[in-house]
Amino acid sequence: FWDVKARVQSPDARSEDITMSQTAPGRYEGHFEAGAKGNYMFTVLASGKDAGNASSLHFGFNLSKFPEDRPSSSDQPYLNKIAAATNGRVWNTRTITSMMSGNQAAYSDSWIAAAILALLFFLCDAWIRTRGIPVR
């Protein structure tokens, strides 16, 4: 139950206030016309019932003017021809979703192990050089 207000600045430097309404707990939505192509800058202000409870968020969005950046659909008949000619298959959304629902590999950051290993090599090298041990 926050009081949420938003303002958008369009690419032609015009500002417009957006009416925000709560649609679910913690979820607020507002609508505006995005007619021009270019950068849109948003400022969202949220204030609670207490005067000290307030926060703001600033972010941007780019509505591209280039045709290659516009959303496009796939050419399904052409993909089917390529798959048939190469004994392959076309993956659709259901195939990818079913593959992802199984066991997935877990990845972790390996830079920590590499940094520790590099530190050990450095210390060994420094110890060998200070002892005057010949290395062949």
Side-chain angles (χ1 to χ4, degrees), residues 98-111:
S98 66
M99 288 176 59
M100 292 179 72
S101 64
N103 293 336
Q104 293 186 14
Y107 296 98
S108 63
D109 291 332
S110 60
W111 70 268

Side-chain angles (χ1 to χ4, degrees), residues 1-7 17-24 26-30 43-49 53-57 59:
F1 299 107
W2 286 64
D3 180 27
V4 180
K5 297 175 182 169
R7 175 171 283 194
D17 289 329
I18 302 172
T19 304
M20 304 293 288
S21 57
Q22 187 173 9
T23 58
R27 183 181 177 120
Y28 296 84
E29 293 182 7
T43 302
V44 180
L45 301 169
S47 58
K49 294 179 182 180
N53 242 356
S55 64
S56 65
L57 176 67
F59 61 96

Side-chain angles (χ1 to χ4, degrees), residues 30-58:
H31 301 277
F32 73 100
E33 279 295 318
K37 308 275 190 229
N39 295 323
Y40 287 85
M41 300 303 294
F42 296 89
T43 302
V44 180
L45 301 169
S47 58
K49 294 179 182 180
D50 299 335
N53 242 356
S55 64
S56 65
L57 176 67
H58 306 281

Side-chain angles (χ1 to χ4, degrees), residues 9-136:
Q9 183 176 1
S10 60
D12 54 2
R14 288 186 300 131
S15 291
E16 176 186 347
D17 289 329
I18 302 172
T19 304
M20 304 293 288
S21 57
Q22 187 173 9
T23 58
R27 183 181 177 120
Y28 296 84
E29 293 182 7
H31 301 277
F32 73 100
E33 279 295 318
K37 308 275 190 229
N39 295 323
Y40 287 85
M41 300 303 294
F42 296 89
T43 302
V44 180
L45 301 169
S47 58
K49 294 179 182 180
D50 299 335
N53 242 356
S55 64
S56 65
L57 176 67
H58 306 281
F59 61 96
F61 177 77
N62 181 277
L63 186 58
S64 182
K65 55 187 161 199
F66 300 110
E68 60 267 16
D69 290 338
R70 293 186 193 130
S72 63
S73 61
S74 60
D75 187 0
Q76 200 63 39
Y78 186 64
L79 290 175
N80 291 333
K81 280 185 187 178
I82 292 173
T86 59
N87 293 326
R89 63 182 174 156
V90 178
W91 286 12
N92 58 21
T93 307
R94 281 178 271 125
T95 306
I96 294 170
T97 305
S98 66
M99 288 176 59
M100 292 179 72
S101 64
N103 293 336
Q104 293 186 14
Y107 296 98
S108 63
D109 291 332
S110 60
W111 70 268
I112 297 171
I116 291 171
L117 191 60
L119 179 65
L120 287 174
F121 281 136
F122 173 74
L123 292 175
C124 288
D125 180 58
W127 183 79
I128 289 171
R129 288 175 189 260
T130 57
R131 300 286 183 245
I133 300 172
V135 180
R136 296 183 190 232

